[in-house]
Amino acid sequence: MVEPFKTADIIILLEYTKKNQEDTLCRTATTQELIELARYLWDEDMRECQYAACDILVLHKTPNKENAESLVSAVKELVVSKSWWDTVDYLASIVGNTLTHEGMLDVMDDWIKDDSIWVRRVAIICQNKRKIKTDVKRLFQYCKEHASDGEFFIAKAIGWSLRSYAYTDPSAVRRFVEETNELQNLSKREALKNISKKEIKKEPKLLSEE
């Protein structure tokens, strides 16, 4: 059980996590211990405490699928309990770190159908840093399913996720945008923002082909 912190202790922890990005705590503590600490910080009124919770969780490498599932479940709780776009996006990167474990992308198939726009946003953007390891079929499927959604944070997420993958395969992203008429204009602008006219024509590489 995490012992209650005083405000001074929290401030010290915040500074420590900023300066020690490879903190031994994050590498050696169990997944459950870090989840418990993150939950405590999340409940604090200081906005910086939520950032500290994210800092702690993003550095943790889940050793197996069971721990990854526990972490992702806890992240979902945090996403819906205090839904600020910046911490939601940070939590999405934590989910992204777990996707190397078999079956974790299947969890996102449920998240993309969730009632919460923030949970759906995480499902859309959690692959943003996967580059060639992106599950392209899922990425395009999620974007297509919510292409007509006028909610700003969903439309923006779609554009951002497509723009991120465009660094790996710009031709595939351009084709998707051209063929998906229902995409919001915001999504289209974001998706095509960094695609050069001299893009290389190639087919997207799926995980199953690696």
Side-chain angles (χ1 to χ4, degrees), residues 11-64:
I11 293 174
I12 291 171
L13 178 60
L14 293 174
E15 292 304 313
Y16 186 79
T17 56
K18 289 176 184 177
K19 294 177 181 178
N20 297 272
Q21 291 300 298
E22 294 299 328
D23 177 24
T24 301
L25 169 67
C26 300
R27 290 186 284 111
T28 61
T30 67
T31 301
Q32 193 55 47
E33 287 170 341
L34 293 178
I35 288 173
E36 197 171 335
L37 177 57
R39 281 172 173 156
Y40 180 86
L41 289 168
W42 206 260
D43 287 339
E44 288 296 305
D45 292 332
M46 293 173 60
R47 186 73 181 93
E48 291 82 359
C49 289
Q50 284 80 59
Y51 295 131
C54 292
D55 286 341
I56 289 168
L57 295 180
V58 80
L59 290 174
H60 180 56
K61 308 300 181 186
T62 50
N64 54 51

Side-chain angles (χ1 to χ4, degrees), residues 99-116:
L99 299 181
T100 54
H101 294 291
E102 183 180 356
M104 293 311 299
L105 274 167
D106 294 337
V107 177
M108 296 301 101
D109 291 343
D110 292 329
W111 284 33
I112 195 63
K113 301 172 185 176
D114 198 90
D115 290 338
S116 167

Side-chain angles (χ1 to χ4, degrees), residues 4-204:
F5 291 117
K6 296 179 180 178
T7 302
D9 296 326
I10 295 174
I11 293 174
I12 291 171
L13 178 60
L14 293 174
E15 292 304 313
Y16 186 79
T17 56
K18 289 176 184 177
K19 294 177 181 178
N20 297 272
Q21 291 300 298
E22 294 299 328
D23 177 24
T24 301
L25 169 67
C26 300
R27 290 186 284 111
T28 61
T30 67
T31 301
Q32 193 55 47
E33 287 170 341
L34 293 178
I35 288 173
E36 197 171 335
L37 177 57
R39 281 172 173 156
Y40 180 86
L41 289 168
W42 206 260
D43 287 339
E44 288 296 305
D45 292 332
M46 293 173 60
R47 186 73 181 93
E48 291 82 359
C49 289
Q50 284 80 59
Y51 295 131
C54 292
D55 286 341
I56 289 168
L57 295 180
V58 80
L59 290 174
H60 180 56
K61 308 300 181 186
T62 50
N64 54 51
K65 181 182 177 182
E66 181 178 354
N67 283 282
E69 289 174 337
S70 296
L71 179 58
V72 167
S73 178
V75 165
K76 187 176 182 180
E77 294 176 17
L78 303 183
V79 167
V80 298
S81 63
K82 289 184 178 179
S83 303
W84 291 287
W85 70 266
D86 56 344
T87 43
V88 166
D89 291 356
Y90 202 164
L91 291 170
S93 68
I94 295 168
V95 172
N97 290 342
T98 71
L99 299 181
T100 54
H101 294 291
E102 183 180 356
M104 293 311 299
L105 274 167
D106 294 337
V107 177
M108 296 301 101
D109 291 343
D110 292 329
W111 284 33
I112 195 63
K113 301 172 185 176
D114 198 90
D115 290 338
S116 167
I117 65 165
W118 302 108
V119 174
R120 297 199 302 274
R121 180 177 170 92
V122 171
I124 293 168
I125 66 175
C126 66
Q127 293 197 81
N128 277 10
K129 297 181 180 179
R130 300 200 81 204
K131 299 180 180 179
I132 197 172
K133 293 184 179 180
T134 299
D135 186 318
V136 184
K137 182 178 180 180
R138 269 193 173 90
L139 171 64
F140 288 166
Q141 177 186 333
Y142 291 177
C143 291
K144 190 173 182 62
E145 286 178 2
H146 293 276
S148 61
D149 194 329
E151 165 58 49
F152 173 84
F153 286 105
I154 294 299
K156 187 81 170 180
I158 290 172
W160 184 19
S161 65
L162 292 172
R163 185 175 80 241
S164 295
Y165 185 62
Y167 287 110
T168 299
D169 193 343
S171 298
V173 171
R174 183 178 288 281
R175 284 196 303 273
F176 177 79
V177 171
E178 290 174 348
E179 295 170 1
T180 311
N181 297 326
E182 59 269 37
L183 274 174
Q184 298 290 307
N185 288 332
L186 172 60
S187 301
K188 294 178 181 179
R189 288 196 303 271
E190 289 294 320
L192 301 176
K193 185 177 291 184
N194 296 321
I195 294 182
S196 168
K197 294 180 180 179
K198 297 181 180 180
E199 65 192 23
I200 299 173
K201 303 297 182 182
K202 63 181 181 179
E203 293 301 317

